[in-house]
Amino acid sequence: MRRIIPAAAVAAAVLLVLSAGAAPAAAGEKIEVAIDATVETLDNGLKVILVEDHSVPVISYQTFFRVGARNERAGITGISHFMEHMMFNGADKYGPKEFDAVLEANGGYSNAFTSADMTAYYEDISSDGLELCIDLDSDRMKSLKLDPKFIVSEMDVVKEERRLRIDNSVQGQMREDLDALAFKAHSYKWPVIGWMSDLEAIDRDDCVEYFRTFYAPNNAILIVAGDFDTKKAMKLIHEYYDDIPAREPSQAVRTVEPEQMGERRGEVHRKAELPAVMISYHTPDIASGDIYALDVLQKILTGGRSSRLYRKLVRETGAAMSVRASFPWRIDPYLFSFNIKMKPGRETAEAEEAVYAALIDIAENGVLDEELSRAKNVLEADFVRSMQKVNGRASKIGRYEILFGDYREIMNVPGRYRAVTNDEVRGAAKKYFSSRNRTVVTLVPEA
Amino acid sequence: MRRILSVLIAAAVIAASVPAVSGTRDVKLPDYEEHVMKNGLKVFVVETSEVPLVTMRLLIPAGSCSDGPGSEGLAGMTARLLLKGAGGKGADEISSSVEGVGGRLDAWAGRDYAVITGDFLSRDVELGLDHLARVVTKPDFLAEEFEREKSIVLAEAMSVKENPCSLANREFLRLLLAPHPYGNPVDGYPSSVREMTRDDVVGFHRSRYVPGGAVLAVVGDVDAGKARKLIEEKFGGWKGSPPADSRVAALEKRPAKTRRVIVIDKPDLTQSQIRIGNIAVGRDTPDHFELTVANSVLGGGFTSRLMDEIRVNRGLSYGASSGLGQYRYGGFFGVYTYTKNATLRETIDVALEQIMLIRDEKVGEEELAGCRRYISGLFPFDIETNSDIAQWMTDLEFYSLGGDFIEKYRSRIGAVSSDGVMRVAREHFGCDGNLIVVITNYEETKDQLEGLGETEVISIKEIE
């Protein structure tokens, strides 16, 4: 069955406008986002989203697969990320080394990323590179080779990546420990790059099975943004992708992380110069309306030089060199985390106290109107900034498809931020930032 | 995460047909207005309407290259303090006002210049220019803010020692370029920062933060007439010319017959960081395009020779690249990679072999053509956003690269020959006399490093 959602005539595809209106922003104006896309799902289940936009003579061609570390199991951790690497190592038409060779020699650039929830690939190239991208990407979706020789050498590459990001990185190791301690059941507990022993053990059979399960067209979304003709592009996509068969959908992730019943604490002892602490709290899944209030909280607490904890810890007490908080949106419930690096000779306890005091204060008293309006304005403006590049627009569409099942949620985001109330912010602080829901990892520097 | 950051596709024989790509559409900057204000400030205004944002970028020739011996870090500190209070408005008042409207305001110094940038919604352009002008022309340099910033800079220097990659980059430049000021970290050394006084900062600002020689670009969804008027209003009263002695000595090549190897011993490492390089040429070199292509062949994209030999063929590293640091008074060439301790020597040898090869053998026509297309093809992505355009405008002016630089970029890259590539590689990619900096667990890798060159070992504890 072929589904077509508005087969719209396309002009300026992504429209960001400021319009006068009843908005809480100080200047009384609001930002609206309109994405004029042509969407079609092929018979094999591949969802295609085309956003024509002739402002720059380039295209960004992106393929998002609904697979990440979240879909792994013990013994093969890191395989999602490893498959991302193997996708550049040869298929039927374009053999080993040829993907990059052909693309780069034609003025294109390609990269990819793997997260817990998704694996995404993109090519950025001049306008007339569209058919080349279609050819390259349909080839590897159809017929990835998984050459044993390349499996061995690519795994060595990934092990170096692990040594770089985790084993020889103080912050990398702390983060790995924090996730492992905060989760006891859900697959968010292991690092996207995988455990070293699993990297040693993953074999070709594991890869073949993983590819079959997750790299099916019905598990993917194809987004093309930029300077091209929608009709011609859709015709070409049919030509190259239609014969790739749909496959049985993979088993859904079933494990639900049980409620945390008390604070968990851990320490990392290793050579380091400065004390540091990471603190995290379990948060709700993407479907919860609370995610917008939590984004607002993230800005109020550590977003910029006007944030509460920056002012407290970096400016007022001078205990910390830097303070950050992150709240990445994920499919399943994940974490709101703080990362604080201390000045030499200062205790991490001082940072913990300041964080807890700020959280209790907000849970009890809410935030200042000025803080709320500032956070919303920063979130809105940053949202616009993230849509400046053709690549950024395509990537946002892919992420929203994976997270919300519908890219059109993008258009609602500015409004959702504007709608956040002080009560919601206070409610979210009260609900999630309790000591029993907390996990803390401190770094104990060794000389 | 596959990829970070170019080889030999020995006649990449690809059967069947490959869809054709020409990539020849013209690339040019949007229309812009330029003028020089009475006080000497050079101004560019570019109207774009893609997004309701305006970027402003002010470049001031007040980079760390003007820091003399003992005052390393002064340019960096001055820039860092601009936002910490100006014209009677405190740091908190400034940040609340800027962030209150979702704006951004930042200031930092590089080696050649200091930059103050603002990014505001179109409706807030006046507010943005007002803050920008105030922090640049009337900073208060409060004693309390100065002491606080000092302690942050000192902590950051310690923090770099925890990150092997950042540490390798910092120490490589120091060991390669010092005593030229380009070798100093922009934020200086802990010893020089401790000695710095508030008067030093005030003095540096007074002599260097002047409109003469500075360049301002305002790019985005703003009416050019309105922008010009606002700029006149906010910057018209700014006065001063740069000191007569503001030139910095050129970074000269130091020909050496033998290779120097400097090992920084950090015993907790399981992976060694490798940097190889030499002093090369500055931004104004007539060989810029040849160098760009030669560097790309050796260590630019995913199909570069270094990436191919080190990562793809041998699985020795996740990343291997080469790069050119090109500044006003000189520059350098460097190779960047890392590998597990057990394969340190093998990786260094492969990298050295590739530097030799591009010097000794002409690049084949097919490889060369592919590389030229790669560079040209990606060029439009460097001119996409307001801030990309603002950076081009200020850099083109500061480095005197010519108004047609962008328009002619692709044809100049297209004209690079294999003879040109070999010539610049021989001249600027050193081999026998280069410097190798390694950060490693020396106890574990000592034997491998034998016979590589004259070796000096420094303990991590001796690094400031």
Side-chain angles (χ1 to χ4, degrees):
Chain A
M1 185 185 66
R2 179 173 299 167
R3 228 152 35 84
I4 303 187
I5 308 174
V10 191
V14 178
L15 218 65
L16 290 154
V17 289
L18 277 172
S19 59
E29 289 172 294
K30 62 181 180 179
I31 290 162
E32 283 170 6
V33 181
I35 297 177
D36 198 354
T38 302
V39 182
E40 183 177 334
T41 301
L42 309 191
D43 288 348
N44 59 17
L46 178 68
K47 186 167 182 180
V48 181
I49 304 176
L50 305 180
V51 187
E52 191 176 324
D53 163 9
H54 303 283
S55 59
V56 195
V58 298
I59 59 159
S60 189
Y61 190 95
Q62 311 204 354
T63 314
F64 278 67
F65 292 91
R66 299 178 191 278
V67 60
R70 173 179 173 270
N71 304 87
E72 296 166 354
R73 55 176 167 78
I76 58 164
T77 64
I79 197 170
S80 307
H81 169 252
F82 181 65
M83 289 302 298
E84 178 213 316
H85 279 242
M86 287 307 295
M87 284 286 276
F88 292 88
N89 281 326
D92 272 359
K93 179 171 177 183
Y94 297 99
K97 295 188 182 193
E98 291 176 0
F99 186 95
D100 280 320
V102 171
L103 188 74
E104 291 192 1
N106 281 289
Y109 177 82
S110 176
N111 215 326
F113 72 85
T114 309
S115 74
D117 291 343
M118 64 193 88
T119 310
Y121 301 82
Y122 71 82
E123 290 93 49
D124 287 346
I125 195 166
S126 61
S127 318
D128 55 355
L130 177 65
E131 186 169 2
L132 178 64
C133 294
I134 295 175
D135 193 23
L136 284 163
D137 262 309
S138 60
D139 181 42
R140 61 185 179 178
M141 187 189 286
K142 198 177 307 185
S143 62
L144 190 69
K145 230 178 227 164
L146 295 166
D147 182 322
K149 192 177 107 211
F150 279 90
I151 288 180
V152 172
S153 70
E154 199 63 50
M155 194 55 95
D156 284 340
V157 171
V158 170
K159 287 184 210 162
E160 291 299 339
E161 187 179 352
R162 196 195 138 85
R163 288 184 190 103
L164 179 81
R165 293 183 191 276
I166 315 260
D167 302 338
N168 292 275
S169 162
V170 173
Q171 293 273 308
Q173 198 195 332
M174 285 178 73
R175 183 73 225 189
E176 185 174 277
D177 282 20
L178 186 75
D179 286 334
L181 191 57
F183 287 91
K184 61 182 185 184
H186 192 278
S187 45
Y188 285 159
K189 70 182 174 182
W190 55 69
V192 170
I193 200 155
W195 303 116
M196 195 59 111
S197 54
D198 289 350
L199 299 182
E200 302 275 0
I202 288 168
D203 64 17
R204 186 171 189 276
D205 290 345
D206 295 324
C207 298
V208 170
E209 193 199 325
Y210 211 76
F211 181 76
R212 274 202 201 117
T213 311
F214 293 105
Y215 279 76
N218 45 317
N219 200 42
I221 302 123
L222 169 61
I223 306 111
V224 192
D227 181 27
F228 61 89
D229 178 274
T230 297
K231 258 197 189 140
K232 285 185 195 153
M234 199 62 94
K235 186 165 170 286
L236 281 169
I237 288 165
H238 274 288
E239 246 170 64
Y240 284 84
Y241 283 94
D242 274 352
D243 65 342
I244 307 176
R247 282 192 290 267
E248 199 60 34
S250 64
Q251 194 180 63
V253 173
R254 300 188 289 206
T255 306
V256 176
E257 181 67 22
E259 189 186 344
Q260 190 169 332
M261 305 298 278
E263 185 185 56
R264 297 176 193 158
R265 299 189 69 93
E267 284 179 349
V268 173
H269 293 251
R270 60 178 287 164
K271 267 207 163 45
E273 304 287 323
L274 300 171
V277 58
M278 291 186 184
I279 304 164
S280 71
Y281 298 86
H282 289 278
T283 46
D285 66 17
I286 197 75
S288 158
D290 288 344
I291 60 172
Y292 301 97
L294 287 164
D295 273 356
V296 166
L297 265 169
Q298 188 270 342
K299 290 293 173 215
I300 290 174
L301 289 163
T302 70
R305 299 182 190 101
S306 62
S307 65
R308 282 198 185 192
L309 289 171
Y310 172 82
R311 286 197 175 162
K312 181 78 186 172
L313 285 167
V314 179
R315 293 187 53 77
E316 243 177 85
T317 68
M321 182 188 93
S322 66
V323 49
R324 291 195 187 90
S326 63
F327 175 57
W329 289 359
R330 290 221 181 153
I331 297 173
D332 294 325
Y334 185 57
L335 303 170
F336 187 112
S337 311
F338 297 88
N339 178 1
I340 302 157
K341 289 177 103 163
M342 308 304 294
K343 293 248 193 75
R346 301 299 282 254
E347 305 274 339
T348 54
E350 207 179 333
E352 283 192 65
E353 260 174 51
V355 171
Y356 305 153
L359 294 173
I360 288 168
D361 181 49
I362 295 176
E364 285 174 2
N365 309 311
V367 297
L368 303 174
D369 287 345
E370 176 197 325
E371 285 178 309
L372 182 61
S373 121
R374 189 160 63 218
K376 290 178 177 186
N377 286 339
V378 169
L379 284 163
E380 272 192 77
D382 283 352
F383 184 82
V384 176
R385 291 185 182 105
S386 71
M387 306 277 281
Q388 284 188 90
K389 284 178 170 269
V390 173
N391 181 299
R393 298 199 277 265
S395 160
K396 192 153 238 145
I397 289 172
R399 278 180 28 118
Y400 276 64
E401 277 290 318
I402 301 275
L403 292 173
F404 296 95
D406 190 346
Y407 76 95
R408 288 174 299 184
E409 181 60 21
I410 294 171
M411 295 183 261
N412 298 327
V413 166
R416 299 219 194 276
Y417 284 132
R418 281 196 297 271
V420 173
T421 65
N422 208 329
D423 275 349
E424 288 170 341
V425 174
R426 187 174 58 203
K430 197 166 185 163
K431 191 164 165 190
Y432 303 109
F433 298 124
S434 70
S435 61
R436 64 189 279 161
N437 186 30
R438 180 160 77 207
T439 303
V440 182
V441 170
T442 51
L443 170 70
V444 182
E446 286 176 349
Chain B
M1 284 207 326
R2 129 169 128 123
R3 329 222 325 167
I4 3 175
L5 348 176
S6 306
V7 197
L8 218 40
I9 315 305
V13 189
I14 285 139
S17 62
V18 174
V21 180
S22 63
T24 50
R25 263 184 67 173
D26 283 348
V27 175
K28 53 182 188 134
L29 283 168
D31 293 339
Y32 59 87
E33 288 190 8
E34 60 175 307
H35 68 280
V36 181
M37 286 172 55
K38 280 190 193 128
N39 60 10
L41 177 63
K42 174 89 188 191
V43 176
F44 293 95
V45 178
V46 189
E47 277 186 47
T48 65
S49 56
E50 287 289 291
V51 287
L53 290 168
V54 178
T55 291
M56 39 203 86
R57 180 182 177 94
L58 176 60
L59 176 157
I60 297 177
S64 64
C65 64
S66 39
D67 290 343
S71 65
E72 295 91 350
L74 184 53
M77 180 62 78
T78 306
R80 294 173 75 118
L81 285 170
L82 297 177
L83 305 184
K84 301 290 186 299
K89 288 188 191 296
D92 291 345
E93 192 180 344
I94 295 171
S95 62
S96 293
S97 167
V98 169
E99 289 164 15
V101 297
R104 288 187 185 169
L105 188 66
D106 285 295
W108 72 93
R111 286 179 160 70
D112 279 336
Y113 50 69
V115 178
I116 304 90
T117 60
D119 195 68
F120 289 82
L121 289 169
S122 312
R123 66 185 182 212
D124 302 317
V125 64
E126 179 169 4
L127 179 84
L129 282 168
D130 189 54
H131 280 300
L132 181 68
R134 185 178 304 104
V135 303
V136 171
T137 60
K138 296 177 198 152
D140 293 329
F141 299 122
L142 302 171
E144 179 198 350
E145 298 287 353
F146 173 64
E147 291 306 327
R148 181 183 295 119
E149 206 59 30
K150 243 182 166 177
S151 72
I152 291 173
V153 170
L154 291 170
E156 286 178 357
M158 290 173 77
S159 174
V160 169
K161 290 173 72 177
E162 283 179 0
N163 181 326
C165 187
S166 314
L167 178 65
N169 291 341
R170 188 184 79 180
E171 294 304 306
F172 171 59
L173 283 193
R174 178 176 71 85
L175 295 162
L176 181 67
L177 307 178
H180 192 280
Y182 282 149
N184 303 325
V186 171
D187 281 322
Y189 303 98
S191 52
S192 61
V193 172
R194 276 188 209 101
E195 296 297 312
M196 198 185 293
T197 67
R198 180 184 171 269
D199 285 349
D200 297 335
V201 176
V202 172
F204 184 83
H205 178 266
R206 192 182 301 126
S207 68
R208 301 284 175 166
Y209 279 65
V210 292
V215 192
L216 173 66
V218 174
V219 183
D221 185 19
V222 60
D223 175 75
K226 181 186 165 191
R228 252 194 335 264
K229 193 170 150 275
L230 284 170
I231 292 164
E232 190 59 48
E233 189 182 310
K234 309 290 178 195
F235 291 93
W238 190 20
K239 298 270 179 294
S241 348
D245 61 341
S246 64
R247 279 195 67 86
V248 171
L251 173 64
E252 303 284 356
K253 288 195 176 185
R254 300 167 198 151
K257 290 232 162 47
T258 55
R259 178 180 296 134
R260 270 198 312 155
V261 181
I262 298 179
V263 178
I264 296 174
D265 182 24
K266 188 163 160 42
D268 60 311
L269 295 187
T270 61
Q271 185 180 58
S272 306
Q273 288 285 337
I274 303 165
R275 303 291 180 271
I276 305 173
N278 54 270
I279 293 171
V281 280
R283 189 66 182 81
D284 62 352
T285 172
D287 292 334
H288 180 74
F289 296 92
E290 281 77 9
L291 274 167
T292 300
V293 174
N295 179 63
S296 184
V297 169
L298 179 65
F302 278 102
T303 57
S304 75
R305 294 175 174 190
L306 287 169
M307 200 66 151
D308 195 52
E309 291 297 336
I310 291 174
R311 171 169 159 156
V312 182
N313 292 344
R314 292 177 179 82
L316 290 168
S317 185
Y318 172 57
S321 62
S322 62
L324 294 154
Q326 293 184 290
Y327 304 110
R328 189 175 227 175
Y329 304 107
F332 66 92
F333 161 77
V335 168
Y336 305 76
T337 188
Y338 44 85
T339 189
K340 59 188 174 298
N341 292 342
T343 47
L344 172 58
R345 181 58 182 267
E346 183 185 355
T347 307
I348 294 174
D349 287 346
V350 174
L352 290 174
E353 213 176 277
Q354 290 307 316
I355 298 174
M356 282 301 282
L357 192 65
I358 196 168
R359 289 165 50 100
D360 289 350
E361 282 179 27
K362 261 196 208 175
V363 175
E365 281 309 317
E366 191 176 330
E367 186 185 2
L368 179 67
C371 190
R372 290 187 308 226
R373 280 198 301 269
Y374 174 64
I375 297 168
S376 294
L378 295 183
F379 192 56
F381 292 97
D382 287 344
I383 325 172
E384 231 189 313
T385 64
N386 290 341
S387 75
D388 295 338
I389 295 167
Q391 179 163 357
W392 274 111
M393 303 306 310
T394 52
D395 269 4
L396 291 174
E397 177 69 21
F398 178 77
Y399 291 109
S400 308
L401 298 178
D404 60 355
F405 186 88
I406 303 263
E407 264 162 66
K408 293 201 170 149
Y409 189 88
R410 284 177 157 184
S411 62
R412 284 172 177 161
I413 286 290
V416 172
S417 68
S418 55
D419 287 332
V421 167
M422 191 158 88
R423 178 178 58 79
V424 298
R426 285 188 173 167
E427 213 173 311
H428 304 301
F429 298 176
C431 204
D432 298 335
N434 53 16
L435 170 74
I436 301 181
V437 175
V438 175
I439 304 193
T440 187
N441 173 349
Y442 189 55
E443 185 63 37
E444 232 175 72
T445 57
K446 192 179 347 184
D447 295 347
Q448 293 180 54
L449 293 171
E450 265 172 41
L452 191 58
E454 193 185 317
T455 305
E456 183 190 341
V457 184
I458 308 172
S459 162
I460 182 77
K461 292 181 177 155
E462 297 168 51
I463 304 281
E464 263 202 291

